[in-house]
Amino acid sequence: MEITSFILGMLSVVAVIAIAVIVKGMVKIVKLEKELKNTQESIEWRDRNNSDANREIYDRLSMMDEHAYRQLEEIKRDLISYVDSRIDKLQSKKEAIK
């Protein structure tokens, strides 16, 4: 009977230790799941914010590009007009000399 009691006692201790290890593992798994979920939410939030920021930067650059293009076209028109007026003036002087 003593050996049986000893074996049952040892098995009980082993079972309690095994249960404690299983419970500790389950707790770690739950914590890791929560951390993984928080990390995924953080990544999704960053992606959304980066997407919005990238869109805002793209819009600003597009607006600046359009503005620069309009300015260049205006300068081009002014230069062509100025050159044309100089050529016309030069031609009128040539005609006056003849």
PDB file of all heavy atoms in Angstrom, residues 15-54:
ATOM      1  N   ALA A  15       1.421  15.479 -12.289  1.00  0.00           N
ATOM      2  CA  ALA A  15       0.216  16.010 -12.938  1.00  0.00           C
ATOM      3  C   ALA A  15       0.037  17.490 -12.612  1.00  0.00           C
ATOM      4  O   ALA A  15      -0.288  18.298 -13.495  1.00  0.00           O
ATOM      5  CB  ALA A  15      -1.005  15.210 -12.511  1.00  0.00           C
ATOM      6  N   VAL A  16       0.260  17.877 -11.369  1.00  0.00           N
ATOM      7  CA  VAL A  16       0.120  19.287 -10.968  1.00  0.00           C
ATOM      8  C   VAL A  16       1.163  20.130 -11.701  1.00  0.00           C
ATOM      9  O   VAL A  16       0.854  21.223 -12.198  1.00  0.00           O
ATOM     10  CB  VAL A  16       0.242  19.438  -9.429  1.00  0.00           C
ATOM     11  CG1 VAL A  16       0.409  20.891  -9.031  1.00  0.00           C
ATOM     12  CG2 VAL A  16      -0.960  18.823  -8.738  1.00  0.00           C
ATOM     13  N   ILE A  17       2.395  19.620 -11.785  1.00  0.00           N
ATOM     14  CA  ILE A  17       3.442  20.364 -12.497  1.00  0.00           C
ATOM     15  C   ILE A  17       3.088  20.480 -13.980  1.00  0.00           C
ATOM     16  O   ILE A  17       3.233  21.554 -14.585  1.00  0.00           O
ATOM     17  CB  ILE A  17       4.810  19.674 -12.297  1.00  0.00           C
ATOM     18  CG1 ILE A  17       5.260  19.847 -10.847  1.00  0.00           C
ATOM     19  CG2 ILE A  17       5.850  20.261 -13.247  1.00  0.00           C
ATOM     20  CD1 ILE A  17       6.515  19.075 -10.483  1.00  0.00           C
ATOM     21  N   ALA A  18       2.605  19.385 -14.573  1.00  0.00           N
ATOM     22  CA  ALA A  18       2.218  19.409 -15.987  1.00  0.00           C
ATOM     23  C   ALA A  18       1.082  20.401 -16.213  1.00  0.00           C
ATOM     24  O   ALA A  18       1.101  21.182 -17.183  1.00  0.00           O
ATOM     25  CB  ALA A  18       1.823  18.017 -16.453  1.00  0.00           C
ATOM     26  N   ILE A  19       0.110  20.400 -15.336  1.00  0.00           N
ATOM     27  CA  ILE A  19      -1.012  21.341 -15.465  1.00  0.00           C
ATOM     28  C   ILE A  19      -0.506  22.777 -15.321  1.00  0.00           C
ATOM     29  O   ILE A  19      -0.921  23.666 -16.063  1.00  0.00           O
ATOM     30  CB  ILE A  19      -2.122  21.012 -14.439  1.00  0.00           C
ATOM     31  CG1 ILE A  19      -2.811  19.703 -14.832  1.00  0.00           C
ATOM     32  CG2 ILE A  19      -3.136  22.142 -14.350  1.00  0.00           C
ATOM     33  CD1 ILE A  19      -3.797  19.186 -13.802  1.00  0.00           C
ATOM     34  N   ALA A  20       0.413  23.007 -14.363  1.00  0.00           N
ATOM     35  CA  ALA A  20       0.961  24.355 -14.173  1.00  0.00           C
ATOM     36  C   ALA A  20       1.703  24.813 -15.427  1.00  0.00           C
ATOM     37  O   ALA A  20       1.570  25.967 -15.853  1.00  0.00           O
ATOM     38  CB  ALA A  20       1.886  24.375 -12.957  1.00  0.00           C
ATOM     39  N   VAL A  21       2.489  23.907 -16.030  1.00  0.00           N
ATOM     40  CA  VAL A  21       3.217  24.255 -17.250  1.00  0.00           C
ATOM     41  C   VAL A  21       2.231  24.551 -18.387  1.00  0.00           C
ATOM     42  O   VAL A  21       2.411  25.509 -19.141  1.00  0.00           O
ATOM     43  CB  VAL A  21       4.194  23.118 -17.633  1.00  0.00           C
ATOM     44  CG1 VAL A  21       4.752  23.321 -19.033  1.00  0.00           C
ATOM     45  CG2 VAL A  21       5.318  23.015 -16.620  1.00  0.00           C
ATOM     46  N   ILE A  22       1.186  23.759 -18.504  1.00  0.00           N
ATOM     47  CA  ILE A  22       0.177  23.975 -19.550  1.00  0.00           C
ATOM     48  C   ILE A  22      -0.522  25.313 -19.352  1.00  0.00           C
ATOM     49  O   ILE A  22      -0.696  26.085 -20.297  1.00  0.00           O
ATOM     50  CB  ILE A  22      -0.832  22.809 -19.579  1.00  0.00           C
ATOM     51  CG1 ILE A  22      -0.141  21.549 -20.104  1.00  0.00           C
ATOM     52  CG2 ILE A  22      -2.037  23.152 -20.431  1.00  0.00           C
ATOM     53  CD1 ILE A  22      -0.979  20.297 -19.989  1.00  0.00           C
ATOM     54  N   VAL A  23      -0.879  25.610 -18.113  1.00  0.00           N
ATOM     55  CA  VAL A  23      -1.559  26.880 -17.825  1.00  0.00           C
ATOM     56  C   VAL A  23      -0.628  28.052 -18.137  1.00  0.00           C
ATOM     57  O   VAL A  23      -1.040  29.052 -18.752  1.00  0.00           O
ATOM     58  CB  VAL A  23      -2.057  26.927 -16.365  1.00  0.00           C
ATOM     59  CG1 VAL A  23      -2.479  28.330 -15.965  1.00  0.00           C
ATOM     60  CG2 VAL A  23      -3.190  25.946 -16.168  1.00  0.00           C
ATOM     61  N   LYS A  24       0.644  27.926 -17.721  1.00  0.00           N
ATOM     62  CA  LYS A  24       1.603  28.994 -17.990  1.00  0.00           C
ATOM     63  C   LYS A  24       1.773  29.189 -19.495  1.00  0.00           C
ATOM     64  O   LYS A  24       1.829  30.326 -19.995  1.00  0.00           O
ATOM     65  CB  LYS A  24       2.946  28.656 -17.350  1.00  0.00           C
ATOM     66  CG  LYS A  24       3.950  29.759 -17.432  1.00  0.00           C
ATOM     67  CD  LYS A  24       5.220  29.412 -16.675  1.00  0.00           C
ATOM     68  CE  LYS A  24       6.225  30.547 -16.789  1.00  0.00           C
ATOM     69  NZ  LYS A  24       7.469  30.221 -16.094  1.00  0.00           N
ATOM     70  N   GLY A  25       1.825  28.097 -20.240  1.00  0.00           N
ATOM     71  CA  GLY A  25       1.925  28.180 -21.692  1.00  0.00           C
ATOM     72  C   GLY A  25       0.700  28.831 -22.312  1.00  0.00           C
ATOM     73  O   GLY A  25       0.814  29.642 -23.240  1.00  0.00           O
ATOM     74  N   MET A  26      -0.470  28.486 -21.813  1.00  0.00           N
ATOM     75  CA  MET A  26      -1.713  29.084 -22.322  1.00  0.00           C
ATOM     76  C   MET A  26      -1.723  30.591 -22.064  1.00  0.00           C
ATOM     77  O   MET A  26      -2.129  31.370 -22.927  1.00  0.00           O
ATOM     78  CB  MET A  26      -2.925  28.430 -21.659  1.00  0.00           C
ATOM     79  CG  MET A  26      -3.087  26.959 -21.954  1.00  0.00           C
ATOM     80  SD  MET A  26      -3.843  26.620 -23.517  1.00  0.00           S
ATOM     81  CE  MET A  26      -5.511  27.085 -23.200  1.00  0.00           C
ATOM     82  N   VAL A  27      -1.277  30.987 -20.877  1.00  0.00           N
ATOM     83  CA  VAL A  27      -1.233  32.418 -20.549  1.00  0.00           C
ATOM     84  C   VAL A  27      -0.286  33.144 -21.500  1.00  0.00           C
ATOM     85  O   VAL A  27      -0.600  34.223 -22.016  1.00  0.00           O
ATOM     86  CB  VAL A  27      -0.816  32.626 -19.070  1.00  0.00           C
ATOM     87  CG1 VAL A  27      -0.477  34.082 -18.795  1.00  0.00           C
ATOM     88  CG2 VAL A  27      -1.911  32.139 -18.141  1.00  0.00           C
ATOM     89  N   LYS A  28       0.879  32.536 -21.778  1.00  0.00           N
ATOM     90  CA  LYS A  28       1.822  33.144 -22.714  1.00  0.00           C
ATOM     91  C   LYS A  28       1.215  33.249 -24.107  1.00  0.00           C
ATOM     92  O   LYS A  28       1.389  34.256 -24.800  1.00  0.00           O
ATOM     93  CB  LYS A  28       3.124  32.345 -22.773  1.00  0.00           C
ATOM     94  CG  LYS A  28       4.037  32.577 -21.609  1.00  0.00           C
ATOM     95  CD  LYS A  28       5.366  31.864 -21.811  1.00  0.00           C
ATOM     96  CE  LYS A  28       6.318  32.182 -20.678  1.00  0.00           C
ATOM     97  NZ  LYS A  28       7.638  31.548 -20.884  1.00  0.00           N
ATOM     98  N   ILE A  29       0.512  32.219 -24.527  1.00  0.00           N
ATOM     99  CA  ILE A  29      -0.114  32.231 -25.847  1.00  0.00           C
ATOM    100  C   ILE A  29      -1.141  33.352 -25.934  1.00  0.00           C
ATOM    101  O   ILE A  29      -1.198  34.080 -26.924  1.00  0.00           O
ATOM    102  CB  ILE A  29      -0.747  30.855 -26.172  1.00  0.00           C
ATOM    103  CG1 ILE A  29       0.353  29.832 -26.429  1.00  0.00           C
ATOM    104  CG2 ILE A  29      -1.678  30.942 -27.366  1.00  0.00           C
ATOM    105  CD1 ILE A  29      -0.141  28.406 -26.565  1.00  0.00           C
ATOM    106  N   VAL A  30      -1.960  33.515 -24.904  1.00  0.00           N
ATOM    107  CA  VAL A  30      -2.970  34.572 -24.903  1.00  0.00           C
ATOM    108  C   VAL A  30      -2.297  35.944 -24.964  1.00  0.00           C
ATOM    109  O   VAL A  30      -2.721  36.823 -25.722  1.00  0.00           O
ATOM    110  CB  VAL A  30      -3.886  34.443 -23.660  1.00  0.00           C
ATOM    111  CG1 VAL A  30      -4.739  35.677 -23.484  1.00  0.00           C
ATOM    112  CG2 VAL A  30      -4.750  33.203 -23.762  1.00  0.00           C
ATOM    113  N   LYS A  31      -1.219  36.121 -24.196  1.00  0.00           N
ATOM    114  CA  LYS A  31      -0.498  37.402 -24.223  1.00  0.00           C
ATOM    115  C   LYS A  31       0.092  37.664 -25.603  1.00  0.00           C
ATOM    116  O   LYS A  31       0.028  38.790 -26.114  1.00  0.00           O
ATOM    117  CB  LYS A  31       0.610  37.416 -23.166  1.00  0.00           C
ATOM    118  CG  LYS A  31       0.117  37.594 -21.758  1.00  0.00           C
ATOM    119  CD  LYS A  31       1.276  37.650 -20.784  1.00  0.00           C
ATOM    120  CE  LYS A  31       0.790  37.816 -19.356  1.00  0.00           C
ATOM    121  NZ  LYS A  31       1.918  37.846 -18.392  1.00  0.00           N
ATOM    122  N   LEU A  32       0.680  36.629 -26.206  1.00  0.00           N
ATOM    123  CA  LEU A  32       1.257  36.799 -27.545  1.00  0.00           C
ATOM    124  C   LEU A  32       0.181  37.099 -28.582  1.00  0.00           C
ATOM    125  O   LEU A  32       0.407  37.892 -29.500  1.00  0.00           O
ATOM    126  CB  LEU A  32       2.042  35.544 -27.939  1.00  0.00           C
ATOM    127  CG  LEU A  32       3.380  35.353 -27.230  1.00  0.00           C
ATOM    128  CD1 LEU A  32       3.983  34.004 -27.592  1.00  0.00           C
ATOM    129  CD2 LEU A  32       4.338  36.472 -27.572  1.00  0.00           C
ATOM    130  N   GLU A  33      -0.995  36.489 -28.450  1.00  0.00           N
ATOM    131  CA  GLU A  33      -2.097  36.787 -29.375  1.00  0.00           C
ATOM    132  C   GLU A  33      -2.522  38.247 -29.253  1.00  0.00           C
ATOM    133  O   GLU A  33      -2.754  38.914 -30.268  1.00  0.00           O
ATOM    134  CB  GLU A  33      -3.289  35.868 -29.101  1.00  0.00           C
ATOM    135  CG  GLU A  33      -3.106  34.462 -29.612  1.00  0.00           C
ATOM    136  CD  GLU A  33      -4.279  33.552 -29.270  1.00  0.00           C
ATOM    137  OE1 GLU A  33      -5.059  33.887 -28.342  1.00  0.00           O
ATOM    138  OE2 GLU A  33      -4.403  32.508 -29.928  1.00  0.00           O
ATOM    139  N   LYS A  34      -2.621  38.732 -28.020  1.00  0.00           N
ATOM    140  CA  LYS A  34      -2.976  40.142 -27.823  1.00  0.00           C
ATOM    141  C   LYS A  34      -1.910  41.061 -28.419  1.00  0.00           C
ATOM    142  O   LYS A  34      -2.228  42.052 -29.079  1.00  0.00           O
ATOM    143  CB  LYS A  34      -3.144  40.451 -26.335  1.00  0.00           C
ATOM    144  CG  LYS A  34      -4.408  39.913 -25.731  1.00  0.00           C
ATOM    145  CD  LYS A  34      -4.511  40.283 -24.263  1.00  0.00           C
ATOM    146  CE  LYS A  34      -5.766  39.688 -23.632  1.00  0.00           C
ATOM    147  NZ  LYS A  34      -5.836  40.007 -22.193  1.00  0.00           N
ATOM    148  N   GLU A  35      -0.642  40.730 -28.190  1.00  0.00           N
ATOM    149  CA  GLU A  35       0.448  41.545 -28.725  1.00  0.00           C
ATOM    150  C   GLU A  35       0.444  41.513 -30.248  1.00  0.00           C
ATOM    151  O   GLU A  35       0.635  42.555 -30.901  1.00  0.00           O
ATOM    152  CB  GLU A  35       1.783  41.028 -28.203  1.00  0.00           C
ATOM    153  CG  GLU A  35       2.960  41.888 -28.580  1.00  0.00           C
ATOM    154  CD  GLU A  35       4.260  41.379 -27.983  1.00  0.00           C
ATOM    155  OE1 GLU A  35       4.227  40.640 -26.992  1.00  0.00           O
ATOM    156  OE2 GLU A  35       5.318  41.741 -28.537  1.00  0.00           O
ATOM    157  N   LEU A  36       0.191  40.353 -30.825  1.00  0.00           N
ATOM    158  CA  LEU A  36       0.121  40.233 -32.283  1.00  0.00           C
ATOM    159  C   LEU A  36      -1.033  41.066 -32.839  1.00  0.00           C
ATOM    160  O   LEU A  36      -0.873  41.765 -33.841  1.00  0.00           O
ATOM    161  CB  LEU A  36      -0.053  38.762 -32.683  1.00  0.00           C
ATOM    162  CG  LEU A  36      -0.172  38.472 -34.170  1.00  0.00           C
ATOM    163  CD1 LEU A  36       1.095  38.894 -34.891  1.00  0.00           C
ATOM    164  CD2 LEU A  36      -0.461  37.006 -34.401  1.00  0.00           C
ATOM    165  N   LYS A  37      -2.184  41.007 -32.174  1.00  0.00           N
ATOM    166  CA  LYS A  37      -3.337  41.797 -32.624  1.00  0.00           C
ATOM    167  C   LYS A  37      -3.026  43.290 -32.552  1.00  0.00           C
ATOM    168  O   LYS A  37      -3.325  44.043 -33.495  1.00  0.00           O
ATOM    169  CB  LYS A  37      -4.562  41.471 -31.771  1.00  0.00           C
ATOM    170  CG  LYS A  37      -5.805  42.179 -32.205  1.00  0.00           C
ATOM    171  CD  LYS A  37      -6.988  41.820 -31.337  1.00  0.00           C
ATOM    172  CE  LYS A  37      -8.223  42.586 -31.752  1.00  0.00           C
ATOM    173  NZ  LYS A  37      -9.359  42.311 -30.878  1.00  0.00           N
ATOM    174  N   ASN A  38      -2.404  43.727 -31.461  1.00  0.00           N
ATOM    175  CA  ASN A  38      -2.036  45.144 -31.327  1.00  0.00           C
ATOM    176  C   ASN A  38      -1.028  45.560 -32.397  1.00  0.00           C
ATOM    177  O   ASN A  38      -1.116  46.652 -32.959  1.00  0.00           O
ATOM    178  CB  ASN A  38      -1.466  45.420 -29.936  1.00  0.00           C
ATOM    179  CG  ASN A  38      -2.516  45.380 -28.855  1.00  0.00           C
ATOM    180  OD1 ASN A  38      -3.697  45.540 -29.116  1.00  0.00           O
ATOM    181  ND2 ASN A  38      -2.082  45.137 -27.627  1.00  0.00           N
ATOM    182  N   THR A  39      -0.082  44.673 -32.678  1.00  0.00           N
ATOM    183  CA  THR A  39       0.920  44.973 -33.708  1.00  0.00           C
ATOM    184  C   THR A  39       0.257  45.087 -35.073  1.00  0.00           C
ATOM    185  O   THR A  39       0.563  45.999 -35.848  1.00  0.00           O
ATOM    186  CB  THR A  39       2.003  43.883 -33.722  1.00  0.00           C
ATOM    187  OG1 THR A  39       2.594  43.799 -32.426  1.00  0.00           O
ATOM    188  CG2 THR A  39       3.084  44.204 -34.735  1.00  0.00           C
ATOM    189  N   GLN A  40      -0.657  44.172 -35.379  1.00  0.00           N
ATOM    190  CA  GLN A  40      -1.361  44.230 -36.664  1.00  0.00           C
ATOM    191  C   GLN A  40      -2.179  45.513 -36.784  1.00  0.00           C
ATOM    192  O   GLN A  40      -2.179  46.157 -37.834  1.00  0.00           O
ATOM    193  CB  GLN A  40      -2.276  43.012 -36.827  1.00  0.00           C
ATOM    194  CG  GLN A  40      -1.530  41.739 -37.129  1.00  0.00           C
ATOM    195  CD  GLN A  40      -2.449  40.530 -37.154  1.00  0.00           C
ATOM    196  OE1 GLN A  40      -3.520  40.526 -36.551  1.00  0.00           O
ATOM    197  NE2 GLN A  40      -2.014  39.498 -37.852  1.00  0.00           N
ATOM    198  N   GLU A  41      -2.869  45.890 -35.717  1.00  0.00           N
ATOM    199  CA  GLU A  41      -3.651  47.130 -35.740  1.00  0.00           C
ATOM    200  C   GLU A  41      -2.734  48.336 -35.928  1.00  0.00           C
ATOM    201  O   GLU A  41      -3.070  49.274 -36.668  1.00  0.00           O
ATOM    202  CB  GLU A  41      -4.457  47.266 -34.454  1.00  0.00           C
ATOM    203  CG  GLU A  41      -5.616  46.302 -34.362  1.00  0.00           C
ATOM    204  CD  GLU A  41      -6.300  46.339 -33.002  1.00  0.00           C
ATOM    205  OE1 GLU A  41      -5.811  47.054 -32.093  1.00  0.00           O
ATOM    206  OE2 GLU A  41      -7.331  45.647 -32.854  1.00  0.00           O
ATOM    207  N   SER A  42      -1.574  48.305 -35.278  1.00  0.00           N
ATOM    208  CA  SER A  42      -0.621  49.406 -35.411  1.00  0.00           C
ATOM    209  C   SER A  42      -0.122  49.506 -36.846  1.00  0.00           C
ATOM    210  O   SER A  42      -0.022  50.604 -37.407  1.00  0.00           O
ATOM    211  CB  SER A  42       0.551  49.179 -34.455  1.00  0.00           C
ATOM    212  OG  SER A  42       1.538  50.146 -34.647  1.00  0.00           O
ATOM    213  N   ILE A  43       0.184  48.372 -37.454  1.00  0.00           N
ATOM    214  CA  ILE A  43       0.651  48.370 -38.841  1.00  0.00           C
ATOM    215  C   ILE A  43      -0.443  48.871 -39.773  1.00  0.00           C
ATOM    216  O   ILE A  43      -0.191  49.683 -40.669  1.00  0.00           O
ATOM    217  CB  ILE A  43       1.124  46.954 -39.245  1.00  0.00           C
ATOM    218  CG1 ILE A  43       2.423  46.623 -38.530  1.00  0.00           C
ATOM    219  CG2 ILE A  43       1.295  46.844 -40.759  1.00  0.00           C
ATOM    220  CD1 ILE A  43       2.865  45.184 -38.681  1.00  0.00           C
ATOM    221  N   GLU A  44      -1.667  48.431 -39.570  1.00  0.00           N
ATOM    222  CA  GLU A  44      -2.781  48.906 -40.403  1.00  0.00           C
ATOM    223  C   GLU A  44      -2.978  50.402 -40.236  1.00  0.00           C
ATOM    224  O   GLU A  44      -3.219  51.116 -41.215  1.00  0.00           O
ATOM    225  CB  GLU A  44      -4.059  48.154 -40.038  1.00  0.00           C
ATOM    226  CG  GLU A  44      -4.054  46.707 -40.477  1.00  0.00           C
ATOM    227  CD  GLU A  44      -5.248  45.923 -39.940  1.00  0.00           C
ATOM    228  OE1 GLU A  44      -6.095  46.524 -39.223  1.00  0.00           O
ATOM    229  OE2 GLU A  44      -5.332  44.725 -40.228  1.00  0.00           O
ATOM    230  N   TRP A  45      -2.882  50.899 -39.013  1.00  0.00           N
ATOM    231  CA  TRP A  45      -3.042  52.333 -38.760  1.00  0.00           C
ATOM    232  C   TRP A  45      -1.946  53.119 -39.481  1.00  0.00           C
ATOM    233  O   TRP A  45      -2.214  54.131 -40.110  1.00  0.00           O
ATOM    234  CB  TRP A  45      -2.981  52.587 -37.252  1.00  0.00           C
ATOM    235  CG  TRP A  45      -3.165  54.023 -36.885  1.00  0.00           C
ATOM    236  CD1 TRP A  45      -4.333  54.709 -36.789  1.00  0.00           C
ATOM    237  CD2 TRP A  45      -2.130  54.961 -36.576  1.00  0.00           C
ATOM    238  NE1 TRP A  45      -4.088  56.012 -36.432  1.00  0.00           N
ATOM    239  CE2 TRP A  45      -2.748  56.187 -36.294  1.00  0.00           C
ATOM    240  CE3 TRP A  45      -0.749  54.864 -36.507  1.00  0.00           C
ATOM    241  CZ2 TRP A  45      -2.024  57.315 -35.953  1.00  0.00           C
ATOM    242  CZ3 TRP A  45      -0.028  56.002 -36.169  1.00  0.00           C
ATOM    243  CH2 TRP A  45      -0.673  57.204 -35.893  1.00  0.00           C
ATOM    244  N   ARG A  46      -0.688  52.624 -39.395  1.00  0.00           N
ATOM    245  CA  ARG A  46       0.412  53.299 -40.084  1.00  0.00           C
ATOM    246  C   ARG A  46       0.195  53.290 -41.588  1.00  0.00           C
ATOM    247  O   ARG A  46       0.468  54.283 -42.258  1.00  0.00           O
ATOM    248  CB  ARG A  46       1.740  52.624 -39.753  1.00  0.00           C
ATOM    249  CG  ARG A  46       2.252  52.954 -38.388  1.00  0.00           C
ATOM    250  CD  ARG A  46       3.653  52.410 -38.196  1.00  0.00           C
ATOM    251  NE  ARG A  46       3.884  52.210 -36.773  1.00  0.00           N
ATOM    252  CZ  ARG A  46       4.587  51.223 -36.268  1.00  0.00           C
ATOM    253  NH1 ARG A  46       5.149  50.345 -37.044  1.00  0.00           N
ATOM    254  NH2 ARG A  46       4.752  51.123 -34.974  1.00  0.00           N
ATOM    255  N   ASP A  47      -0.265  52.157 -42.113  1.00  0.00           N
ATOM    256  CA  ASP A  47      -0.505  52.075 -43.555  1.00  0.00           C
ATOM    257  C   ASP A  47      -1.553  53.087 -43.990  1.00  0.00           C
ATOM    258  O   ASP A  47      -1.395  53.754 -45.005  1.00  0.00           O
ATOM    259  CB  ASP A  47      -0.944  50.660 -43.956  1.00  0.00           C
ATOM    260  CG  ASP A  47       0.199  49.669 -43.946  1.00  0.00           C
ATOM    261  OD1 ASP A  47       1.372  50.093 -43.891  1.00  0.00           O
ATOM    262  OD2 ASP A  47      -0.086  48.450 -43.982  1.00  0.00           O
ATOM    263  N   ARG A  48      -2.644  53.188 -43.226  1.00  0.00           N
ATOM    264  CA  ARG A  48      -3.689  54.155 -43.566  1.00  0.00           C
ATOM    265  C   ARG A  48      -3.138  55.575 -43.501  1.00  0.00           C
ATOM    266  O   ARG A  48      -3.379  56.381 -44.401  1.00  0.00           O
ATOM    267  CB  ARG A  48      -4.881  54.013 -42.618  1.00  0.00           C
ATOM    268  CG  ARG A  48      -5.793  52.865 -42.928  1.00  0.00           C
ATOM    269  CD  ARG A  48      -7.091  52.963 -42.153  1.00  0.00           C
ATOM    270  NE  ARG A  48      -6.897  53.084 -40.720  1.00  0.00           N
ATOM    271  CZ  ARG A  48      -6.840  52.066 -39.857  1.00  0.00           C
ATOM    272  NH1 ARG A  48      -6.934  50.837 -40.289  1.00  0.00           N
ATOM    273  NH2 ARG A  48      -6.679  52.278 -38.566  1.00  0.00           N
ATOM    274  N   ASN A  49      -2.397  55.890 -42.446  1.00  0.00           N
ATOM    275  CA  ASN A  49      -1.849  57.242 -42.310  1.00  0.00           C
ATOM    276  C   ASN A  49      -0.801  57.521 -43.373  1.00  0.00           C
ATOM    277  O   ASN A  49      -0.732  58.628 -43.902  1.00  0.00           O
ATOM    278  CB  ASN A  49      -1.263  57.450 -40.917  1.00  0.00           C
ATOM    279  CG  ASN A  49      -2.337  57.622 -39.875  1.00  0.00           C
ATOM    280  OD1 ASN A  49      -3.476  57.931 -40.202  1.00  0.00           O
ATOM    281  ND2 ASN A  49      -1.989  57.425 -38.629  1.00  0.00           N
ATOM    282  N   ASN A  50       0.038  56.542 -43.684  1.00  0.00           N
ATOM    283  CA  ASN A  50       1.041  56.733 -44.737  1.00  0.00           C
ATOM    284  C   ASN A  50       0.358  56.934 -46.081  1.00  0.00           C
ATOM    285  O   ASN A  50       0.798  57.746 -46.892  1.00  0.00           O
ATOM    286  CB  ASN A  50       2.005  55.550 -44.803  1.00  0.00           C
ATOM    287  CG  ASN A  50       3.023  55.578 -43.686  1.00  0.00           C
ATOM    288  OD1 ASN A  50       3.255  56.601 -43.069  1.00  0.00           O
ATOM    289  ND2 ASN A  50       3.630  54.447 -43.419  1.00  0.00           N
ATOM    290  N   SER A  51      -0.703  56.186 -46.306  1.00  0.00           N
ATOM    291  CA  SER A  51      -1.427  56.323 -47.567  1.00  0.00           C
ATOM    292  C   SER A  51      -2.005  57.733 -47.682  1.00  0.00           C
ATOM    293  O   SER A  51      -1.900  58.367 -48.728  1.00  0.00           O
ATOM    294  CB  SER A  51      -2.539  55.284 -47.644  1.00  0.00           C
ATOM    295  OG  SER A  51      -3.300  55.448 -48.801  1.00  0.00           O
ATOM    296  N   ASP A  52      -2.599  58.219 -46.594  1.00  0.00           N
ATOM    297  CA  ASP A  52      -3.147  59.581 -46.598  1.00  0.00           C
ATOM    298  C   ASP A  52      -2.028  60.612 -46.785  1.00  0.00           C
ATOM    299  O   ASP A  52      -2.178  61.570 -47.546  1.00  0.00           O
ATOM    300  CB  ASP A  52      -3.896  59.862 -45.291  1.00  0.00           C
ATOM    301  CG  ASP A  52      -5.173  59.043 -45.177  1.00  0.00           C
ATOM    302  OD1 ASP A  52      -5.640  58.524 -46.214  1.00  0.00           O
ATOM    303  OD2 ASP A  52      -5.686  58.911 -44.052  1.00  0.00           O
ATOM    304  N   ALA A  53      -0.916  60.404 -46.094  1.00  0.00           N
ATOM    305  CA  ALA A  53       0.203  61.346 -46.213  1.00  0.00           C
ATOM    306  C   ALA A  53       0.770  61.321 -47.626  1.00  0.00           C
ATOM    307  O   ALA A  53       1.077  62.372 -48.194  1.00  0.00           O
ATOM    308  CB  ALA A  53       1.294  61.003 -45.197  1.00  0.00           C
ATOM    309  N   ASN A  54       0.905  60.125 -48.185  1.00  0.00           N
ATOM    310  CA  ASN A  54       1.426  60.023 -49.555  1.00  0.00           C
ATOM    311  C   ASN A  54       0.489  60.703 -50.540  1.00  0.00           C
ATOM    312  O   ASN A  54       0.939  61.385 -51.460  1.00  0.00           O
ATOM    313  CB  ASN A  54       1.616  58.557 -49.953  1.00  0.00           C
ATOM    314  CG  ASN A  54       2.788  57.921 -49.245  1.00  0.00           C
ATOM    315  OD1 ASN A  54       3.661  58.606 -48.726  1.00  0.00           O
ATOM    316  ND2 ASN A  54       2.807  56.607 -49.218  1.00  0.00           N
TER     317      ASN A  54
END
